[in-house]
Amino acid sequence: MTANTNTRNVKSRHDYQPPAFIISTVKLCFELDNTATKVTSVMQLQRRQAGAPLKLDGQHLQLLSVAVNGKQLSEHEYRLDDESLTLDTLPDSFELTVVTQLSPQTNTALEGLYLAGQTFCTQCEAEGFRRISYFLDRPDVLAEYFVTIIAPAEQYPFLLSNGNKLSEHIDSAGNRVVQWHDPFAKPCYLFALVAGDFDRLTERFVTQSGRDVSLELYVDKGAAAKGEFALQALKRAMRWDEQRFNLEYDLDIYMVVAVDFFNMGAMENKGLNIFNSKYVLADAGTATDKDYFNIESIIGHEYFHNWTGNRVTCRDWFQLSLKEGLTVFRDQEFSADMGSPTLCRIDAVKLIRTAQFAEDAGPMAHPIRPEQVLEMNNFYTVTVYDKGAEVIRMLQTLLGRNGFAAGLALYLQRHDGQAVTCDDFLQAMQDATAKDLSRFALWYSQSGTPELAVSQHYDAPSAQLTLNLSQHTPATTDQPIKQALMLPVQIELLFADGTKQQHLLVMQEASQQFLLPEIHTEPVVVWLEHFSAPVKLKADIDDRHLLFIAGNASDGVARWDAMQQFWSRKVAQAIAGNAVEDVLPEALVSMMASWLQQPEPDLALTAELLSLPDFDTLAEQYQQVPVDGILAALAGFKQLLAMRLREPLLQCYQRLPLSAYHYDQAAAAQRRLRSLCLHYLALSAVDATELLQQHYQSADNMTDTMAALAASQQAQPATFNLLIDDFAQRWQHDALVMDKCFALVASDPAEQVFDGIETMLRHPLFSWHNPNRVRALYSAFSMRNPQQFHRLDGKGYAALEQVVGKLDGINAQVAARLITPLLSWRRFDPVRQQLMQAALQRLANIPGLSNDVYEKVNRSLT
Ligand code: B3K
Ligand code: ZN
């Protein structure tokens, strides 16, 4: 494509070199100012490599002075460019003082030190510290931090940093001066600073060994009540990590600050987590059940990083999954224990099957431990995080819960205070369990989605069941040759008399046969219970058996999965030209009716069993995505079900009791099933206006309000327009709720979506500088509105192209995330391909395009 394809500085995993110098302590002093913050950094350095120069990273900084052992250097004694500060002649051990100035107010990238409204805050992972001061900005340089923050006392009652507070006073000029010390050596990506005025909620937590920890949660003034759930979730997470993994908190204070401008969900800075306010603030009126779930999960995730990430960190950024895959796994286990393990697993599987499989099939395919990176922020991906978590889960399946826990304990004890690699992790797992994991290690280096083909043969005379498994991983854009992986395949055998058997098959070769003796009647095999490996299953199970599994398997995930497979097949038949009425078996309709009449004990599982796969899940099953075919088939089946099941749907809807809102597993499950019924009822031929209106009007919580809006949007546009106007009016002053409004407007499947988006762009709360606002509108549009995004006139693609182009200059990290749906242009029909490719090409031609967007566009077009 463009001439500069190879001129940007791509890094390779194999080029890792240990640092030439280490920094043992750093004293930072911040004199805060919106446009001219002065940062004085005093570092103790020691040489580790003879003769090497010291090259410090730094970006967007104004260098005021440099001194070695107290002696100021003149300009010809160092070299300075846009990316670094280099000093050539240095002693083996010395003190380096660097003074810089920066402008938080104009930092729209929200990396480094920036202003989130009136609040100063930082985001340093992955490479943001270099926007604060010149430093060895790499995770294997671990230093002890002393931090002084100075800011006008009245305006900034709270000046926070990592670790323990040493002192606080107000100086003669009316400045507040606060000193912090973090006793744990850490990489600079875990550094944090916050300065602002907040409501503070406090709690105490006594650890299992008796350490009294003060918990502090900081939220916008007036929002204290909305922080209570997050604070309690933190206590649950702390207790859970003690009970499950015997891991205890290690400082006297744990702070969480919610800010309104944040590039992602949250950040695990040592002792001072910074959160996107979306993942902290909740009350019944403004947050959905899903929001509550996410808050608990992310609070847990960041807390769990204290051990898996902070106490033991990554040697280099290629090892990111070392902390992220492991910590996602830990947060998933936590959420499962706090609520419904089945539902948690179903949600995790959905994500793998949609976004992660799509990533493997597209131009950004990479192993969970990437090999080549231009912009590190582009590799905080579903592959590194969520496939990474699947890899950890497989380890637990292979080693057993106790073996896995022993391996984790050994890893943390062996490497406490170090920056290590994924290989170190596997070594500890292996040493603790005496299991050979050499083949398993391939999961770290091989990208792509394995396809697992299975079949069974039953021989009655010998009472033997033969299971044939073969695996094949198709080539990915980054890696043409693939090898056989180690796969744990959990199965269940369902016998006609109602008995069941569970087995774990451990696959190591490309093709393998497993013989199960003493099987006296032919069973139905449930393959890949709990989704025991992140693969695409190819099993030739007929409709009748799929429905049997859906009704009878022990594992709720397997039951749901059987329904998903069933629907995928029906959608394929519809796309092939069959009428939806002709392919829908009567047995299915009666089975669904019986689930409605007699729901499972877990109502949310019932809701999942009754749900069709979404567009993205279905799309992943095709080499070339039949956009219009999938949309038509889904609409056809949903409408048909709505009509055929109207009575049981209505009865189920009416039977589910309404009680005052409370977030807990059972109540959330009930709302989920009720919403699902409402959704179908809105689609049935009978006018549902009144029902939708009533659901909306009587809702005492955001979950039900959103259910009414979403259901009407799909089926009753006139009602939707009325309700959304009311909603927008009612919540016009609440930015987090307006995000929901933006997202709804942008997911309108009708053409009016473009006008709707235009209107929302003029909303007083909309800002191109706030990632939540931009994502609410444009992620919803490009990822949850296939009808309009994939329009054949290209208007949808052009809308996204414009936004990415505009945002690139404001916040490249967010721009690069938004571009994802365009990258897989090769998966579409020729007309769409051409439109998407042209949009990408125009983006590629933008002068001065950021590395973030450039890397993705470039990979996609070449
Ligand atoms: N570690 C952070 C993510 C940082 C993303 C940098 N672009 C949050 C988390 O995974 O816990
Ligand atoms: Zn994380």
Side-chain angles (χ1 to χ4, degrees):
M1 49 164 275
T2 48
N4 55 356
T5 302
N6 299 315
T7 57
R8 299 205 189 191
N9 186 19
V10 173
K11 288 198 196 111
S12 293
R13 182 170 71 89
H14 291 290
D15 293 341
Y16 173 82
Q17 294 288 334
F21 290 83
I22 59 160
I23 304 175
S24 50
T25 66
V26 51
K27 290 188 179 140
L28 293 168
C29 176
F30 289 83
E31 294 162 66
L32 293 176
D33 182 274
N34 283 4
T35 52
T37 288
K38 190 168 143 194
V39 183
T40 304
S41 167
V42 182
M43 297 163 271
Q44 304 300 323
L45 285 98
Q46 289 89 39
R47 182 184 288 282
R48 284 287 179 269
Q49 210 185 91
L54 172 66
K55 187 172 180 192
L56 300 171
D57 307 293
Q59 283 174 358
H60 306 279
L61 293 171
Q62 189 187 338
L63 180 64
L64 300 184
S65 67
V66 190
V68 173
N69 289 330
K71 183 180 166 297
Q72 295 288 330
L73 302 189
S74 61
E75 275 179 26
H76 64 267
E77 289 176 290
Y78 56 81
R79 285 176 283 140
L80 190 64
D81 62 26
D82 285 348
E83 305 272 314
S84 59
L85 166 67
T86 307
L87 287 80
D88 289 302
T89 330
L90 288 166
D92 287 346
S93 177
F94 58 98
E95 179 179 278
L96 177 66
T97 305
V98 179
V99 185
T100 47
Q101 186 175 301
L102 55 105
S103 168
Q105 187 173 295
T106 45
N107 179 357
T108 59
L110 314 188
E111 265 195 292
L113 176 65
Y114 65 94
L115 270 178
Q118 308 296 310
T119 304
F120 285 96
C121 76
T122 53
Q123 172 55 35
C124 296
E125 189 179 0
E127 296 177 330
F129 193 84
R130 63 189 62 189
R131 291 173 179 240
I132 293 176
S133 187
Y134 289 95
F135 203 75
L136 293 173
D137 188 357
R138 43 188 288 168
D140 58 351
V141 172
L142 275 58
E144 185 180 348
Y145 283 68
F146 295 84
V147 177
T148 305
I149 312 170
I150 304 171
E154 297 255 310
Q155 219 181 327
Y156 300 99
F158 298 103
L159 302 179
L160 314 176
S161 191
N162 319 81
N164 300 314
K165 194 197 274 188
L166 296 181
S167 70
E168 171 162 0
H169 72 275
I170 296 180
D171 69 12
S172 53
N175 285 318
R176 188 179 305 279
V177 182
V178 180
Q179 286 190 298
W180 293 86
H181 169 231
D182 182 355
F184 292 93
K186 64 171 177 287
C188 62
Y189 84 83
L190 290 173
F191 166 79
L193 175 152
V194 173
D197 193 3
F198 303 97
D199 272 354
R200 172 169 57 176
L201 291 83
T202 55
E203 259 285 10
R204 303 211 74 79
F205 180 83
V206 180
T207 68
Q208 61 183 10
S209 73
R211 176 193 283 277
D212 199 354
V213 184
S214 149
L215 310 181
E216 302 186 352
L217 182 80
Y218 295 84
V219 297
D220 280 351
K221 294 285 268 180
K226 290 187 184 174
E228 198 51 44
F229 178 78
L231 193 57
Q232 296 309 320
L234 175 60
K235 288 181 80 171
R236 290 194 287 277
M238 295 175 89
R239 192 60 77 210
W240 182 88
D241 217 14
E242 293 183 344
Q243 289 169 349
R244 174 71 184 267
F245 291 115
N246 197 27
L247 295 174
E248 201 176 312
Y249 188 58
D250 51 14
L251 286 165
D252 300 333
I253 178 169
Y254 190 92
M255 294 171 282
V256 173
V257 184
V259 299
D260 298 325
F261 289 69
F262 207 62
N263 278 347
M264 62 267 169
M267 178 64 211
E268 70 263 26
N269 316 298
K270 181 79 187 186
L272 176 55
N273 287 183
I274 300 180
F275 269 64
N276 188 325
S277 52
K278 174 178 164 64
Y279 296 115
V280 171
L281 303 178
D283 64 16
T286 56
T288 60
D289 292 333
K290 182 79 186 143
D291 293 325
Y292 277 96
F293 177 90
N294 287 338
I295 289 169
E296 184 173 69
S297 142
I298 298 176
I299 285 275
H301 180 99
E302 306 312 330
Y303 174 71
F304 302 141
H305 267 314
N306 190 53
W307 275 99
T308 51
N310 300 3
R311 287 288 286 259
V312 181
T313 193
C314 302
R315 185 194 72 174
D316 56 76
W317 287 122
F318 296 99
Q319 317 294 330
L320 181 61
S321 201
L322 174 72
K323 74 177 178 82
E324 294 304 348
L326 178 53
T327 305
V328 170
F329 170 74
R330 277 153 53 64
D331 84 50
Q332 289 176 350
E333 292 286 273
F334 168 60
S335 295
D337 285 350
M338 295 300 113
S340 158
T342 305
L343 262 288
C344 288
R345 194 69 194 123
I346 288 175
D347 283 347
V349 176
K350 284 181 184 169
L351 186 64
I352 293 288
R353 284 209 178 127
T354 52
Q356 204 285 317
F357 284 0
E359 193 156 78
D360 273 340
M364 283 296 289
H366 54 277
I368 64 167
R369 183 183 56 200
E371 295 292 345
Q372 293 218 311
V373 167
L374 172 61
E375 171 50 60
M376 189 54 214
N377 285 325
N378 282 340
F379 288 83
Y380 287 74
T381 58
V382 275
T383 299
V384 167
Y385 273 62
D386 298 276
K387 184 178 176 185
E390 293 299 316
V391 170
I392 301 292
R393 184 174 295 279
M394 286 190 285
L395 263 182
Q396 180 174 260
T397 305
L398 291 165
L399 304 177
R401 259 171 92 105
N402 292 341
F404 178 80
L408 184 64
L410 178 62
Y411 161 72
L412 294 174
Q413 176 236 316
R414 188 183 272 175
H415 298 294
D416 191 8
Q418 298 176 2
V420 300
T421 64
C422 299
D423 290 337
D424 294 319
F425 176 78
L426 281 181
Q427 190 63 51
M429 284 286 154
Q430 188 162 297
D431 292 349
T433 57
K435 286 252 166 75
D436 178 7
L437 295 174
S438 46
R439 186 169 276 274
F440 187 82
L442 204 55
W443 279 105
Y444 283 85
S445 56
Q446 184 163 294
S447 56
T449 307
E451 292 174 358
L452 178 65
V454 297
S455 65
Q456 67 185 83
H457 171 74
Y458 180 65
D459 183 52
S462 60
Q464 183 165 277
L465 179 68
T466 306
L467 301 172
N468 298 302
L469 288 80
S470 65
Q471 56 166 308
H472 162 75
T473 305
T476 48
T477 48
D478 64 324
Q479 206 179 49
I481 313 281
K482 305 289 181 185
Q483 297 170 51
L485 290 152
M486 188 167 174
L487 300 178
V489 181
Q490 288 186 306
I491 61 164
E492 182 175 52
L493 308 183
L494 303 176
F495 296 94
D497 65 358
T499 55
K500 298 170 178 179
Q501 271 182 26
Q502 257 99 11
H503 297 268
L504 173 64
L505 314 178
V506 180
M507 211 186 167
Q508 308 242 34
E509 313 294 334
S511 276
Q512 253 171 290
Q513 208 168 56
F514 294 83
L515 306 180
L516 301 183
E518 297 197 42
I519 306 287
H520 297 288
T521 54
E522 175 157 24
V524 172
V525 183
V526 181
W527 292 97
L528 220 60
E529 262 192 311
H530 315 293
F531 194 62
S532 63
V535 301
K536 285 188 178 173
L537 183 71
K538 312 259 165 197
D540 199 11
I541 310 173
D542 63 27
D543 282 5
R544 199 168 51 87
H545 283 140
L546 278 178
L547 294 185
F548 183 75
I549 294 170
N552 296 284
S554 310
D555 171 29
V557 181
R559 296 180 58 194
W560 161 80
D561 196 23
M563 289 304 294
Q564 297 276 301
Q565 287 181 50
F566 178 88
W567 282 116
S568 301
R569 186 176 299 169
K570 297 298 140 195
V571 167
Q573 289 168 355
I575 292 174
N578 296 292
V580 288
E581 306 79 31
D582 296 343
V583 294
L584 211 60
E586 226 19 71
L588 170 85
V589 179
S590 42
M591 191 157 160
M592 291 178 86
S594 73
W595 282 331
L596 286 163
Q597 277 142 9
Q598 274 189 322
E600 301 294 320
D602 182 351
L603 297 179
L605 175 60
T606 305
E608 289 299 327
L609 289 170
L610 291 165
S611 300
L612 271 57
D614 63 10
F615 177 85
D616 291 332
T617 303
L618 293 163
E620 267 333 288
Q621 297 166 11
Y622 296 87
Q623 287 283 351
Q624 183 178 302
V625 180
V627 176
D628 311 293
I630 294 178
L631 290 172
L634 277 178
F637 283 123
K638 284 187 190 170
Q639 189 141 36
L640 187 61
L641 288 174
M643 293 192 296
R644 299 285 310 276
L645 293 168
R646 191 179 140 69
E647 270 315 302
L649 281 164
L650 198 58
Q651 281 162 11
C652 180
Y653 179 83
Q654 286 163 345
R655 237 189 359 255
L656 291 169
L658 275 182
S659 41
Y661 184 85
H662 181 250
Y663 176 72
D664 61 49
Q665 152 66 14
Q670 191 176 312
R671 284 186 287 271
R672 193 151 165 170
L673 182 55
R674 211 165 154 264
S675 304
L676 181 97
C677 293
L678 181 71
H679 210 97
Y680 276 121
L681 288 166
L683 289 165
S684 73
V686 183
D687 182 21
T689 309
E690 209 183 304
L691 189 67
L692 290 162
Q693 296 259 17
Q694 200 196 349
H695 195 100
Y696 179 83
Q697 302 298 354
S698 61
D700 72 341
N701 64 82
M702 185 52 77
T703 309
D704 284 326
T705 304
M706 290 297 285
L709 287 161
S712 59
Q713 185 176 53
Q714 295 306 309
Q716 313 270 340
T719 309
F720 174 71
N721 289 342
L722 278 177
L723 298 185
I724 192 80
D725 284 349
D726 177 80
F727 185 77
Q729 178 72 28
R730 199 187 317 169
W731 297 105
Q732 58 179 314
H733 301 301
D734 186 318
L736 289 178
V737 181
M738 279 311 292
D739 283 346
K740 298 182 194 305
C741 182
F742 293 161
L744 274 166
V745 166
S747 38
D748 192 333
E751 184 161 9
Q752 65 174 5
V753 67
F754 294 97
D755 293 338
I757 290 177
E758 280 301 315
T759 309
M760 291 299 133
L761 289 175
R762 290 193 298 271
H763 193 281
L765 286 181
F766 184 84
S767 159
W768 288 104
H769 291 261
N770 188 306
N772 287 4
R773 302 301 93 78
V774 176
R775 275 191 294 251
L777 264 186
Y778 287 99
S779 293
F781 175 68
S782 62
M783 297 184 189
R784 273 188 273 146
N785 192 349
Q787 287 91 338
Q788 293 300 323
F789 178 64
H790 288 295
R791 287 165 65 96
L792 279 165
D793 63 2
K795 202 170 163 184
Y797 306 141
L800 188 61
E801 173 203 333
Q802 274 169 19
V803 171
V804 171
K806 180 182 175 92
L807 263 188
D808 190 57
I810 299 172
N811 186 332
Q813 214 180 115
V814 174
R817 287 217 166 237
L818 281 178
I819 203 175
T820 303
L822 282 175
L823 301 179
S824 47
W825 58 278
R826 287 179 215 266
R827 307 267 317 269
F828 294 88
D829 52 80
V831 175
R832 290 183 168 100
Q833 273 199 18
Q834 195 262 325
L835 292 163
M836 294 169 99
Q837 186 190 18
L840 286 167
Q841 191 62 57
R842 286 189 293 273
L843 284 170
N845 293 338
I846 294 177
L849 194 65
S850 68
N851 276 345
D852 311 58
V853 173
Y854 169 83
E855 180 172 42
K856 292 191 170 181
V857 171
N858 184 45
R859 279 210 195 202
S860 176
L861 288 175
T862 42

